[in-house]
Amino acid sequence: MEFFFQLMVQGLSVGFLYALAALGFVMIFKSSSVLNFAHGELLAIGAFIFLVFSVRLNLPIPIAFIFTLAGTFALGFIIERLFLRPLIGEALIEVIMLTVGLAAMFKGLLLVIFGGNLFNYPDFLPKGLTIQWGAVVIQPVYVASFIIGIIFLSVFGFFFKYSSQGIYMRSVADNQPAALSLGVHVRRVFALSWAIASLVCALSGIILGIMNGINVHDISVMGLKVFPVVILGGLESIGGAIIGGLIIGLLETFTGGYVSTSLKEVIPFVVLVFILLVKPYGLFGLVEIERV
Amino acid sequence: MEDNLLLQINNISVVYSDVIQVLKGVSLEVKKGQIVSLLGSNGAGKTTTLKAISGLLKPENGKVTEGSIIYQGRPIHNSAPEEITRLGIIQVHEGRQPFKYLTVEENLRVGTATRWGKPYKKDLELVYHYFQPLVARKNRLAGYCSGGELQMLVMGRALMAQPKLLLLDEPSLGLAPFLVREIFEIIKRINEEQGTTIMLVEQNANMALQIAHYGYVMENGKIVMEDEAVKLRENPDVKEFYLGTATSGALKSYKDVKAYKRRKRWL
Ligand SMILES: Nc1ncnc2c1ncn2[C@@H]1O[C@H](COP(=O)(O)OP(=O)(O)O)[C@@H](O)[C@H]1O
Ligand SMILES: [Mg+2]
């Protein structure tokens, strides 16, 4: 029973990590229909920027964290401006191929700058974060992932639900011509969705880095996990991305705990194939409202 | 020019995809504070004319290739919709284009995009004042609203932007007669009480000419007739072709040869 509980909490916190990463992916897809294949590289960039601030520049951790978020947010804007904006109006496949190119370029840059070694953050998480409950011990990083996940998913949830800017973003995803007719700055919405995506990717990249260490290849491969998550949750739905993330996180952890650790990495993709066969729009994909 | 002129379209041509010419030298004027109606049958180029004004041709690969559009003394025919909307020109698309997955009130809030960050509570109240049925639907997804509610929603959403020139594209399309009367009554009140200048595109010439001050008739990408609305209502040709109340006995066919000759006079 304790083992079950432990896996459950770990699974949920890994799930929040996936949910954050998936949120970034879904945002870009929702606003501009672009599948971002450079997603894993955005995770890696975030993890390395935090490494630079915290280790190389030796800044206090909270400052390094805030700088990383601000930096990756700005980076998202810049990526959209430099690479995506010139392609607005071109065929979607060209834009998607561009993101494949971006992935290769980012990975190359990171390898040139940092090399392919494994790096580690200093052990900065307070030991007090450890949860001990009988024989159950939850490591601080899982608790931190849980907390960060809940905080940021709520923040973005409120942002999209209540803030004007969030409502403009959803209007573009919903009906672009109508949004244009009301003066919504569609290009700005695209840029903002890249900025937010890049920021939430950094968050999950940092957590991944704390869990497993930081390595260009390992982290960018984690970007692939976002596919089972969003396919499960439905590409269009932010709520679905969160639930999809939690389900995949739990599935993985339970498989690792009860079945075998080598199967753990495969399970999300088995789910992916299964879902695509049975429910191609995802469990929580939008039901098209058809009424005139 | 006279100061009470808000919009002036000078002899514009519009071409889609570089080859399909739809407007062939359209000129018209809109005076401040008036309702100007643009009539014509399907495919005449009414929607294209509105899109040329609002800048929404661009996303459809359309372009004003000749002529000019002057709004408050400045040319706007090459501007982007983000700029044009911020000058106070808001177009309401034909066929009601709600944000289906947003609630009614969220739809209305998108109307504040041109003045992000400014207070909008008063505007919401104003919209609910004109479109009372929306109050009860506030928190419902727009995708589940009825046609009449949606027409109110998209017009209310445009009103949230505090437009100086409101471009309405066939607001009566597909609505029951009693709803059409209600909608037109509200359009008239908005014009009178808010001083909003309105350009009203309609196939329902009868209703449109009852509330408009001035009217233009379009055919095949050209303006073929223009006059005070009162006079257009009495014009025998308008009666025959657009009001469906021919005075000379039986209703004549649209493609009638005699009628064609008569219409030629305005070409
Ligand atoms: N995006 C477009 N590309 C090419 N042709 C178009 C486009 N939009 C409209 N047209 C053509 O322009 C003509 C006028 O259309 P429109 O302005 O919508 O007329 P109306 O609103 O009076 O019915 C039609 O023949 C239509 O087929
Ligand atoms: Mg039309």
Side-chain angles (χ1 to χ4, degrees), chain A residues 268-284:
Chain A
F269 297 96
V270 175
V271 173
L272 170 77
V273 171
F274 182 73
I275 293 283
L276 279 178
L277 289 176
V278 180
K279 225 168 173 280
Y281 296 105
L283 291 183
F284 306 95

Side-chain angles (χ1 to χ4, degrees), chain A residues 186-251:
Chain A
V186 172
R187 281 165 301 168
R188 196 177 295 157
V189 164
F190 289 173
L192 194 57
S193 59
W194 274 86
I196 295 178
S198 166
L199 182 149
V200 290
C201 280
L203 282 171
S204 17
I206 294 171
I207 300 172
L208 268 173
I210 305 175
M211 284 181 184
N212 308 332
I214 312 138
N215 170 278
V216 179
H217 298 291
D218 291 352
I219 295 191
S220 45
V221 161
M222 290 299 287
L224 284 181
K225 287 268 172 68
V226 93
F227 286 97
V229 171
V230 297
I231 295 295
L232 181 65
L235 266 172
E236 303 263 314
S237 145
I238 287 173
I242 296 172
I243 296 173
L246 293 177
I247 293 179
I248 295 284
L250 285 169
L251 261 177

Side-chain angles (χ1 to χ4, degrees), chain B residues 42-43 45-48 94 169-170 201 203:
Chain B
N42 227 338
K46 307 181 295 296
T47 299
T48 303
E94 74 185 301
D169 200 348
E170 306 213 19
V201 160
Q203 291 196 48

Side-chain angles (χ1 to χ4, degrees), chain B residues 15-17 20-23 38-51 57 59-62 94 169-170 201-203 218 220-221:
Chain B
V15 176
Y16 285 110
S17 314
I20 309 165
Q21 179 162 21
V22 173
L23 297 192
L38 183 56
L39 308 172
S41 49
N42 227 338
K46 307 181 295 296
T47 299
T48 303
T49 308
L50 290 191
K51 285 184 175 164
L57 280 178
E60 296 204 30
N61 208 2
E94 74 185 301
D169 200 348
E170 306 213 19
V201 160
E202 264 300 339
Q203 291 196 48
M218 238 186 147
N220 274 322

Side-chain angles (χ1 to χ4, degrees), chain A residues 161-162 168 170 174 289, chain B residues 100-101 106 109 112 116:
Chain A
K161 182 66 194 154
Y162 299 110
Y168 304 155
R170 284 189 310 161
D174 195 309
I289 302 179
Chain B
K100 285 189 204 171
Y101 299 99
E106 288 169 349
R109 284 184 60 189
T112 64
W116 171 51

Side-chain angles (χ1 to χ4, degrees), chain A residues 161-165 167-168 170-171 174-175 177-187 287-291, chain B residues 56 59 81-82 85-86 90-91 93 97-102 106 109-110 112-114 116 143-144 157-158:
Chain A
K161 182 66 194 154
Y162 299 110
S163 80
S164 294
Q165 210 53 247
I167 290 177
Y168 304 155
R170 284 189 310 161
S171 81
D174 195 309
N175 187 336
L180 265 177
S181 77
L182 292 165
V184 176
H185 214 300
V186 172
R187 281 165 301 168
V287 187
E288 178 72 4
I289 302 179
E290 270 313 336
R291 184 164 168 175
Chain B
L56 294 173
E82 293 89 5
T85 48
R86 276 159 185 77
I90 303 289
Q91 176 175 354
H93 281 116
Q97 300 280 329
F99 304 113
K100 285 189 204 171
Y101 299 99
L102 271 59
E106 288 169 349
R109 284 184 60 189
V110 181
T112 64
T114 51
W116 171 51
Y144 295 115
R157 205 169 60 180

